[in-house]
Amino acid sequence: MFEARLGQATILKKILDAIKDLLNEATFDCSDSGIQLQAMDNSHVSLVSLTLRSDGFDKFRCDRNLSMGMNLGSMAKILKCANNEDNVTMKAQDNADTVTIMFESANQEKVSDYEMKLMNLDQEHLGIPETDFSCVVRMPAMEFARICRDLAQFSESVVICCTKEGVKFSASGDVGTANIKLAQTGSVDKEEEAVIIEMQEPVTLTFACRYLNAFTKATPLSTQVQLSMCADVPLVVEYAIKDLGHIRYYLAPKIED
Amino acid sequence: MQKSITSFFKRK
């Protein structure tokens, strides 16, 4: 028996919005420690890794490890039927071929449930090696989304250059060149507005805008985003999900032809 | 050139 309950459907809606542009379907691996999802996008350029800890749920029970392959388009249709403040419960029997998603209004006067067919997906888990990153940048998630959106107008690629002074995002194309520099913030009143750079050595890497923009669909989950970079290894873009876990996106760099 | 993520992370 698997049962996981969250106080607000809005969190699940935001999580789904953060992955459904990259993934058509995905397997949710459930165990007593929580829910994990790891999947590559169709073109195998990026990897999504979602961790939801069991202690972050209002109720969590998982008697036996369970892998639930879900069509994310179908899940989106179901979540559209929930009000943001509704409680949401996911339930499945051991070895079931369906999952039930139930919404309850705050006053318990409306209860709806949706049974969704599960899929058998070919799971390909990748081993992610530990990396000592050269640069780790923490910045407001909205600012990162804005920069990715703005630079995508100018080029398919964005160059991220990080030094101890700051981080520079550049794009160059037919229109010309765009550069956006962010300096490390001195003192800020609000932690969520800070730009913080931890640098071992400077790094310059090139990434496809289209994927960065897909990652920023996670912006509503978190006030801050963390970018971890190292020469010739995938970028890690991490959004914390408060009291519940995190979503990490890995993006392979572009290299000169 | 866009590299594939599988060229960095090996299949388990």
Side-chain angles (χ1 to χ4, degrees):
Chain A
M1 173 81 182
F2 165 74
E3 187 173 348
R5 177 186 162 107
L6 281 171
Q8 291 199 312
T10 183
I11 298 171
L12 203 55
K13 286 185 181 199
K14 287 176 185 174
I15 290 170
L16 193 70
D17 284 342
I19 61 176
K20 71 178 167 54
D21 285 6
L22 287 165
L23 311 172
N24 297 325
E25 57 252 334
T27 300
F28 291 74
D29 293 313
C30 308
S31 70
D32 59 3
S33 61
I35 300 175
Q36 291 264 358
L37 176 156
Q38 194 210 72
M40 284 185 279
D41 73 280
N42 279 340
S43 50
H44 292 192
V45 169
S46 68
L47 180 79
V48 180
S49 174
L50 170 73
T51 298
L52 305 175
R53 294 187 312 270
S54 54
D55 60 16
F57 288 83
D58 289 3
K59 182 180 178 187
F60 194 92
R61 174 181 168 187
C62 185
D63 302 335
R64 293 177 64 179
N65 289 2
L66 181 70
S67 289
M68 298 193 293
M70 295 192 201
N71 178 300
L72 299 183
S74 306
M75 199 177 175
K77 283 182 189 173
I78 292 171
L79 286 178
K80 211 182 263 184
C81 305
N83 287 315
N84 285 342
E85 305 75 29
D86 286 354
N87 282 310
V88 54
T89 305
M90 286 184 286
K91 268 187 203 178
Q93 300 297 326
D94 294 341
N95 303 317
D97 55 6
T98 60
V99 60
T100 299
I101 301 177
M102 186 170 79
F103 306 123
E104 292 168 280
S105 62
N107 59 12
Q108 307 250 312
E109 283 172 1
K110 180 180 174 188
V111 179
S112 39
D113 66 81
Y114 301 84
E115 196 178 76
M116 182 171 73
K117 288 179 200 140
L118 294 175
M119 310 165 76
N120 253 329
L121 301 172
D122 273 339
Q123 289 195 86
E124 257 194 326
H125 277 106
L126 300 181
I128 301 168
E130 287 284 315
T131 305
D132 284 329
F133 290 100
S134 305
C135 294
V136 177
V137 178
R138 286 199 298 279
M139 61 185 284
M142 295 262 280
E143 185 67 81
F144 180 61
R146 176 71 202 256
I147 290 170
C148 294
R149 192 190 71 191
D150 289 350
L151 292 187
Q153 301 183 99
F154 301 98
S155 173
E156 288 179 359
S157 304
V158 58
V159 179
I160 306 178
C161 173
C162 185
T163 64
K164 65 175 184 300
E165 282 78 35
V167 57
K168 184 173 79 169
F169 301 86
S170 307
S172 189
D174 297 340
V175 173
T177 304
N179 291 299
I180 301 169
K181 287 181 214 162
L182 291 183
Q184 180 154 215
T185 43
S187 59
V188 284
D189 292 341
K190 293 178 188 164
E191 209 175 296
E192 60 265 29
E193 290 171 2
V195 176
I196 296 163
I197 297 167
E198 286 166 26
M199 191 206 74
Q200 311 303 322
E201 49 185 318
V203 66
T204 300
L205 287 162
T206 304
F207 299 102
C209 286
R210 150 163 189 257
Y211 290 93
L212 296 176
N213 271 309
F215 303 164
T216 63
K217 295 285 160 35
T219 304
L221 285 168
S222 200
T223 54
Q224 284 253 317
V225 61
Q226 178 170 299
L227 313 176
S228 303
M229 289 169 284
C230 192
D232 303 320
V233 304
L235 163 75
V236 189
V237 180
E238 177 174 336
Y239 295 84
I241 307 169
K242 197 170 182 297
D243 301 328
L244 186 58
H246 59 255
I247 182 160
R248 287 187 189 139
Y249 302 94
Y250 297 83
L251 177 60
K254 291 179 104 174
I255 54 166
E256 286 190 37
D257 294 328
Chain B
M1 188 183 76
Q2 178 62 64
K3 296 203 81 167
S4 161
I5 199 83
T6 51
S7 59
F8 298 95
F9 301 156
K10 298 298 166 213
R11 291 181 167 90
K12 273 187 185 169

